[in-house]
């Protein structure tokens, strides 16, 4: 029977997968398939078989104990041979459910006796000494369930069960009711808890096929290993088995977490001290300035009556030198005072919120930077929730919309950042070289960049690894953030414990090889950007001193990028579809080509080219109006072609192999070219209303905290999504609501992080390294 059930389960999964294939093809086929399945009589049977498999693998081992079997069988046999005895409660027995009144009443009596006992009072025939506390508590729970104790019924009610919507993708998680489980406990006579309920997730596998992960509710004395011993495969060659169990226990604060809290407390103390000191200093200066003005007024009022002294000098009625002494004392605060001021909320907050910039600033870039990050958040809002959708197959229909192409292709937002980074480092470095006769301390060029990015980056990783497990809870929360998961299971915390040092060295896009195993998976962008920054001086120096040699090096890097994209597109059979259709294919957003520096540098190089052009011709550009219009039309056409050019993939017109290679190679480069025109036109005075929008002062404070918002927004999304007690049913309005909330919370958290960690470190670097404003 087990093999038959196994075959039926696999058949049902195959039917579900076939349903997804039809959905991917087109919507008409999808509706036909679903309509057909509604009237297939065997479908409900297959679904019930899946539930039966879950019952056999999980419910039966937890609800049935071999220890109790002899006692229960003896009760039943005794009840069948005894003569019924009159009882006042027999009239209330469910006679429609129980055929033999004697059997029922005797059985209930025995069960009642057992369930009123303490676990340690159960006869030794039922509780051998080798039983663990978990097994004893499970035995008590089983007997209480037979007795219909309320807590036990609530625990069993909270178990994950077969949901509707399997054909829409609701086959990954059957959560059950997380809160209902955790609210239960078994009381003993003195009112204390015998045990409390804990929520766990058991993962099922059929061969190499992942089946649903089921929410279960068990006594809190059961550990992951205890439950795996009970639920684990009894037969080594079994195809259908429980592969893992993760219980949602509240993690203890590790030594690293305590150290992180000490660090944060230290920063909090420095911020409070620096702010108080800043307020006191301002009050001192305010008093001095007011007294100085009063003294000046008094001197002016009596200056007409002042007569020379006998030695020909004015009488010493001016006391301004005393006030100047006070002023000098107030402002000459020394090194320690300046360090305290680096942490002042007033100073750092005013720097961030200030909406004025220098005359040489490229104002339009602020708008591009903020809008690009919002685009990143939009893509992540959908991508991070994909595994939590109850109707996950619906996303294919959504991706096929023309209006949704900008969301599906949100990865180009990252190329916007590469473009901006290349532009700014080239433009600012060339301006600095011009101002300082072609000289620049190249060692400090790297040191400044590293100190600018790394302290706040490492602090975010520290908090993410040690404290995030304590931020929230939910059915999947411990699964994602458990710092000590069971053997064979990895979490976000364990990845960071293993690989945080790769982020510190900015090589996390190269090692580990899988983006899924990276610490802060979105940190791959920072690694690429740092690597591009490291090689940028070679191009910039040559462009400044030996223009044609610099152009040759720039061209060689671009050709190498194109060559690697062409080669990898052919090698990995890259597809421009939303999902790879075959196991040996690589999607356009796959890790093998998505995070590698040699495949992403083209947009950075375009930024460097635009930065050089702006440095050379920023104030000397004169072009006819029609040329500007043609430039805008060309840039708009290129951008639309890149973002919306894959629309045919969802409607029966996919790109052929040659077109796929061309799109893979040139799409990101083309996007950067289009964006390059936008930046060039806006900076040189040909941006019109676009420049007015992108140069809006509203973007300036947000652009200053953009880096912190990029670091924090996935953490905010993870904490929220994985603390949800149930799966998400996808609707457009719900995801729009999530998106707006993600933006607001991310920038609010980014302001706090920037004003308390990022800005103080930037001020300390400038103070301690005596750095002038440069690149």
């Amino acid at each position: 029977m087990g093999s038959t059930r196994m075959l039926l389960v696999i058949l049902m999964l195959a039917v579900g997968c076939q349903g997804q294939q039809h959905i991917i093809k087109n919507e008409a086929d999808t509706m036909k398939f679903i309509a057909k399945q509604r009237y297939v009589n065997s479908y409900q049977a297959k679904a019930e078989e899946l539930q039966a498999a879950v019952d056999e693998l999980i419910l039966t081992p937890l609800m049935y104990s071999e220890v109790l079997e002899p006692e229960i069988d003896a009760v039943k046999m005794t009840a069948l041979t005894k003569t019924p005895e009159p009882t006042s409660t027999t009239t209330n027995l469910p006679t429609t459910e129980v055929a033999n009144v004697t059997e029922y009443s005797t059985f209930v009596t025995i069960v009642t006796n057992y369930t009123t006992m303490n676990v340690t009072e159960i006869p030794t025939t039922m509780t051998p000494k080798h039983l663990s506390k978990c097994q004893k508590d499970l035995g008590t729970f089983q007997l209480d369930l037979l007795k219909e104790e309320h807590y036990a019924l609530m625990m069993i009610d909270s178990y994950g069960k077969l949901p509707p919507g399997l054909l829409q993708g609701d086959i990954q998680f059957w959560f059950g009711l997380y809160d209902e489980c955790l609210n239960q406990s078994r009381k003993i006579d003195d009112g204390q808890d015998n045990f409390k309920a804990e929520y766990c997730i058991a993962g099922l596998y059929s061969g190499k096929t992942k089946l649903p992960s089921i929410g279960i509710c068990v006594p809190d004395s059961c550990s992951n290993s205890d439950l795996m011993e009970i639920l684990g495969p009894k037969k080594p060659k079994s195809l259908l088995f429980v592969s893992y169990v993760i219980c949602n226990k509240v993690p203890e604060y590790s030594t690293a977490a305590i150290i992180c809290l000490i660090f944060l407390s230290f920063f909090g103390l420095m911020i409070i001290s620096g702010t108080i000191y800043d307020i006191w200093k301002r009050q001192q200066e305010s008093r001095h300035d007011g007294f100085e003005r009063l003294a000046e007024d008094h001197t002016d009022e009596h200056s007409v009556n002042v007569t020379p002294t006998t030695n020909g000098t004015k009488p010493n009625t001016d006391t301004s030198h005393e006030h100047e002494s006070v002023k000098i004392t107030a402002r000459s605060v020394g090194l320690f005072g300046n360090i305290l001021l680096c942490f002042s909320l007033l100073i750092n907050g005013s720097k961030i919120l200030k909406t004025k910039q220098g005359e040489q600033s490229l104002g339009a870039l602020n708008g591009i930077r903020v809008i690009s990050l919002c685009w990143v958040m939009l893509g992540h809002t959908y991508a991070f929730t994909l595994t939590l959708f109850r109707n996950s197959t619906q996303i294919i229909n959504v991706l096929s919309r023309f209006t949704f192409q900008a969301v599906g292709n949100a990865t180009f937002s990252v190329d916007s950042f590469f473009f901006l980074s290349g532009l700014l480092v080239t433009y600012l470095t060339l301006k600095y070289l011009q101002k300082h006769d072609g000289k620049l301390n190249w060692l400090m060029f790297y040191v400044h960049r590293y100190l600018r990015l790394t302290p706040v980056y490492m602090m975010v990783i520290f908090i993410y690894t040690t404290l995030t497990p304590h931020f929230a809870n939910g059915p999947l929360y411990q699964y994602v953030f458990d710092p000590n998961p069971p053997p064979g299971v990895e979490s976000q915390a364990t990845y960071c414990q293993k690989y945080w040092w790769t982020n510190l060295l900015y090589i996390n896009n190269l090692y580990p090889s899988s983006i899924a195993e990276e610490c802060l998976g979105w940190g791959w962008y920072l690694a690429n950007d740092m690597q591009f920054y490291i090689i940028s001086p070679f191009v910039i120096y040559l462009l400044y001193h030996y223009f044609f040699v610099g152009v040759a090096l720039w061209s060689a890097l671009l050709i190498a990028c194109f060559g690697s994209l062409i080669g990898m597109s052919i090698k990995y059979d890259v597809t421009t579809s939303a999902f790879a259709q075959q196991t040996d294919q690589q999607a356009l957003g796959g890790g093998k080509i998505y995070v590698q520096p040699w495949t992403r540098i083209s947009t950075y190089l375009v930024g460097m080219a635009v930065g050089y052009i702006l440095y050379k011709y920023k104030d000397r550009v004169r072009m006819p109006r029609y040329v500007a219009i043609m430039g805008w039309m060309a840039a708009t056409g290129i951008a639309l072609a890149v973002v919306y050019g894959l629309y045919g993939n969802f409607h029966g017109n996919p790109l052929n192999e040659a077109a796929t290679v061309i799109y893979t190679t040139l799409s990101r480069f083309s996007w950067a070219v289009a964006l390059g025109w936008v930046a060039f036109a806006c900076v040189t005075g040909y941006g019109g209303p676009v420049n007015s929008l992108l140069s809006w002062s509203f973007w300036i404070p947000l652009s200053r905290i953009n880096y912190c918002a990029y670091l924090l927004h996935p953490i905010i999304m993870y904490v929220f999504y994985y603390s949800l007690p149930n799966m998400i049913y996808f609707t457009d309005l719900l995801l729009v609501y999530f998106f707006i909330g993600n933006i607001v919370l991310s920038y609010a958290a980014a302001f706090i992080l920037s004003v308390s960690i990022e800005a103080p470190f930037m001020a300390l670097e400038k103070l301690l390294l005596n750095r002038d404003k440069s690149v």
Side-chain angles (χ1 to χ4, degrees):
M1 185 180 71
S3 61
T4 303
R5 178 173 294 135
M6 181 62 217
L7 290 174
L8 287 171
V9 170
I10 295 176
L11 179 60
M12 194 216 70
L13 290 174
V15 170
C17 293
Q18 182 65 27
Q20 292 190 26
Q21 290 174 6
H22 278 272
I23 291 171
I24 292 174
K25 287 179 181 179
N26 55 65
E27 186 174 356
D29 285 349
T30 300
M31 299 309 297
K32 290 178 182 178
F33 175 78
I34 293 177
K36 177 182 176 182
Q37 288 300 318
R38 284 176 180 166
Y39 298 101
V40 175
N41 294 330
S42 62
Y43 171 70
Q44 184 62 32
K46 294 186 181 89
E48 291 174 356
E49 286 293 337
L50 179 58
Q51 180 65 64
V54 171
D55 294 346
E56 180 179 344
L57 288 171
I58 295 179
L59 290 180
T60 300
L62 294 178
M63 297 299 102
Y64 170 76
S65 173
E66 294 179 357
V67 176
L68 297 177
E69 183 178 8
E71 304 297 331
I72 294 175
D73 288 344
V75 169
K76 292 182 178 180
M77 292 301 297
T78 303
L80 291 173
T81 58
K82 285 188 177 181
T83 304
E85 297 181 5
T87 175
S88 59
T89 61
T90 55
T91 56
N92 296 324
L93 293 177
T95 55
T96 57
E97 301 289 337
V98 182
N100 191 302
V101 174
T102 304
E103 178 185 356
Y104 180 83
S105 60
T106 307
F107 182 68
V108 170
T109 301
I110 299 298
V111 169
T112 302
N113 291 336
Y114 284 148
T115 53
T116 55
M117 297 178 185
N118 189 280
V119 174
T120 58
E121 299 172 347
I122 296 179
T124 56
T125 57
M126 295 181 57
T127 57
K129 293 181 180 179
H130 68 271
L131 289 183
S132 65
K133 180 68 163 61
C134 171
Q135 291 171 313
K136 293 177 182 179
D137 287 346
L138 277 174
T140 303
F141 167 57
Q142 294 160 12
L143 292 171
D144 285 352
L145 189 61
L146 291 174
K147 190 185 175 184
E148 299 183 2
E149 293 285 350
H150 181 264
Y151 89 90
L153 295 175
M154 294 290 281
M155 284 178 65
I156 197 66
D157 183 58
S158 68
Y159 274 55
K161 303 173 185 67
L162 176 72
L166 293 180
L167 287 178
Q168 292 191 83
D170 195 4
I171 198 171
Q172 188 165 1
F173 297 108
W174 298 356
F175 283 152
L177 293 176
Y178 174 80
D179 294 332
E180 182 183 28
C181 171
L182 294 185
N183 289 332
Q184 309 311 316
S185 62
R186 185 180 191 272
K187 305 291 184 180
I188 53 179
D189 293 338
D190 59 1
Q192 296 180 356
D193 293 333
N194 189 332
F195 59 76
K196 294 182 179 181
E198 72 174 352
Y199 180 91
C200 304
I201 287 182
L204 298 182
Y205 271 81
S206 171
K208 295 184 179 180
T209 303
K210 188 178 185 299
L211 295 180
S213 296
I214 313 298
I216 60 177
C217 192
V218 296
D220 62 354
S221 57
C222 295
S223 65
N224 300 329
S225 56
D226 290 331
L227 294 173
M228 276 302 297
E229 184 178 348
I230 297 171
L231 301 177
K234 304 299 185 294
K235 299 178 182 179
K237 295 183 179 181
S238 175
L239 293 178
L240 190 60
F241 60 94
V242 176
S243 61
Y244 65 86
V245 178
I246 297 180
C247 292
N248 206 321
K249 296 180 181 291
V250 177
E252 297 181 357
Y253 281 88
S254 63
T255 303
I258 294 173
I259 294 174
C260 184
L261 289 174
I262 292 174
F263 265 100
L264 294 177
S265 300
F266 172 76
F267 279 112
L269 179 63
M270 292 296 292
I271 289 169
I272 293 172
S273 302
T275 304
I276 292 174
Y277 180 71
D278 185 26
I279 293 173
W280 175 83
K281 178 174 171 294
R282 290 168 187 253
Q283 289 178 342
Q284 292 296 106
E285 291 186 357
S286 176
R287 290 177 184 174
H288 163 72
D289 292 341
F291 188 74
E292 188 177 52
R293 286 193 298 271
L294 180 62
E296 290 175 353
D297 293 343
H298 181 76
T299 302
D300 292 341
E301 179 181 350
H302 298 282
S303 59
V304 69
N305 298 323
V306 174
T307 56
T309 60
T310 55
N311 58 6
T313 61
K314 289 178 61 177
N316 190 13
T317 58
D318 184 10
T319 58
S320 61
H321 67 283
E322 297 178 7
H323 309 315
E324 186 64 27
S325 175
V326 174
K327 188 173 183 179
I328 293 174
T329 302
R331 292 181 179 175
S332 300
V333 295
L335 179 62
F336 180 73
N338 283 322
I339 290 176
L340 280 180
L341 290 177
C342 290
F343 291 86
S344 170
L345 287 176
L346 299 179
I347 294 175
N348 294 331
S350 63
K351 287 180 180 178
I352 293 172
L353 297 176
K354 184 173 62 175
T355 58
K356 292 184 179 180
Q357 288 187 306
E359 295 181 358
Q360 296 298 320
S361 62
L362 309 178
L365 302 189
N366 294 318
I368 296 175
R369 185 181 293 114
V370 176
I371 292 173
S372 295
L373 182 58
C374 290
W375 196 7
V376 170
M377 292 186 195
L378 179 62
H380 285 169
T381 297
Y382 285 83
F384 290 175
T385 55
L386 187 58
T387 57
L388 298 176
F389 287 153
R390 290 185 57 193
N391 54 337
S392 58
T393 57
Q394 178 66 18
I395 195 66
I396 304 299
N397 294 333
V398 175
L399 282 171
S400 66
R401 303 175 190 165
F402 182 79
T403 53
F404 201 79
Q405 298 306 298
V407 180
N409 291 312
T411 59
F412 289 106
S413 58
V414 182
D415 295 285
S416 301
F417 285 117
F418 285 137
F419 166 81
L420 292 174
S421 184
L423 187 158
L424 287 171
V425 72
T426 304
Y427 177 79
L428 294 176
T429 305
L430 289 172
K431 295 288 285 187
Y432 187 91
L433 290 172
Q434 183 184 45
K435 184 178 179 181
H436 294 83
D437 299 325
K439 297 179 181 180
L440 175 64
N441 187 333
W442 293 106
L443 176 62
M444 292 306 300
F445 178 85
Y446 292 120
V447 170
H448 166 57
R449 179 71 169 186
Y450 189 83
L451 294 179
R452 164 69 180 88
L453 299 180
T454 308
V456 67
Y457 186 25
M458 289 297 105
M459 182 57 68
V460 169
I461 291 178
F462 199 12
I463 294 172
Y464 181 65
T465 307
T466 60
L467 298 183
T468 305
H470 304 277
F471 285 170
N473 55 60
L476 283 179
Y477 199 80
Q478 203 68 19
Y479 179 87
V480 176
F481 294 110
D482 190 356
N484 297 296
V489 177
E490 298 284 357
S491 69
Q492 295 292 315
T494 58
Y495 289 141
C496 278
Q497 291 167 9
K498 290 181 180 180
Y499 302 119
W500 64 269
W501 58 272
T502 64
N503 299 72
L504 183 65
L505 298 177
Y506 293 94
I507 60 171
N508 48 294
N509 60 330
L510 303 174
Y511 181 82
S513 58
S514 172
I515 188 175
E517 297 178 357
E518 287 185 34
C519 175
L520 257 67
W522 55 101
W524 70 268
Y525 160 75
L526 298 175
N528 276 274
D529 191 66
M530 180 62 79
Q531 291 156 13
F532 299 157
Y533 187 87
I534 289 172
I535 66 174
S536 66
F538 299 98
V539 178
I540 295 171
Y541 182 84
L542 290 175
L543 285 174
Y544 186 83
H545 292 285
Y546 312 100
F547 174 73
F548 291 106
V549 179
V551 171
L553 178 58
W554 182 92
S555 302
L557 291 172
L558 184 62
I559 292 172
C561 177
F562 287 164
S564 65
L565 283 168
I566 294 172
M568 297 181 76
S569 298
I570 297 173
K571 177 180 178 181
Y572 296 110
D573 190 20
V574 172
T575 176
T576 54
S577 299
F579 306 101
Q581 304 294 314
Q582 302 173 10
T583 55
D584 58 346
Q585 274 189 324
Q586 182 80 199
L588 189 59
K592 285 184 171 59
I593 64 172
Y594 188 70
V595 303
Q596 307 302 334
W598 46 83
T599 62
R600 300 304 297 263
I601 196 173
S602 62
T603 52
Y604 193 91
L605 293 172
V606 174
M608 294 186 75
V610 175
Y612 180 84
I613 294 171
L614 289 177
Y615 153 74
K616 202 73 174 176
Y617 305 106
K618 176 176 178 286
D619 299 320
R620 294 183 289 165
V621 175
R622 299 291 182 270
M623 70 176 77
R625 185 178 181 86
Y626 74 89
V627 174
I629 294 175
M630 290 177 61
W632 277 105
M633 292 176 62
T636 303
I638 292 172
L640 292 176
V642 168
V643 176
Y644 293 90
L646 300 179
Y647 178 65
N649 280 351
F650 301 94
H651 299 275
N653 297 303
L655 298 181
N656 58 35
E657 293 183 5
T660 296
V661 172
I662 293 173
Y663 183 87
T664 302
T665 305
L666 297 179
S667 58
R668 301 190 185 282
F669 174 81
S670 301
W671 172 260
V673 169
L675 195 61
W677 168 261
V678 175
F680 174 78
C682 290
V683 170
T684 56
Y686 294 92
V690 176
N691 180 55
S692 299
L693 173 64
L694 296 178
S695 300
W696 185 19
S697 59
F698 171 78
W699 305 119
I700 297 175
L702 296 178
S703 69
R704 293 194 179 105
I705 59 176
N706 229 44
Y707 174 51
C708 290
Y710 179 80
L711 291 176
L712 291 178
H713 81 271
I715 302 176
I716 291 172
M717 292 184 189
Y718 282 154
V719 170
F720 172 68
Y721 292 147
Y722 291 111
S723 65
L724 293 174
N726 289 298
M727 299 284 282
I728 302 169
Y729 196 89
F730 171 84
T731 64
D732 291 319
L733 188 59
L734 180 66
L735 269 293
V736 169
Y737 197 81
F738 282 174
F739 170 56
I740 295 173
N742 289 334
I743 290 179
V744 173
L745 290 176
S746 296
Y747 275 105
F751 177 79
I752 296 173
L753 180 66
S754 182
V755 79
S756 58
I757 304 294
E758 182 186 31
F761 272 108
M762 292 174 63
L764 284 172
E765 184 224 352
K766 185 175 182 180
L767 173 67
L768 299 179
L769 297 183
N770 235 355
R771 180 181 62 83
D772 293 330
K773 186 176 180 181
S774 58
V775 294

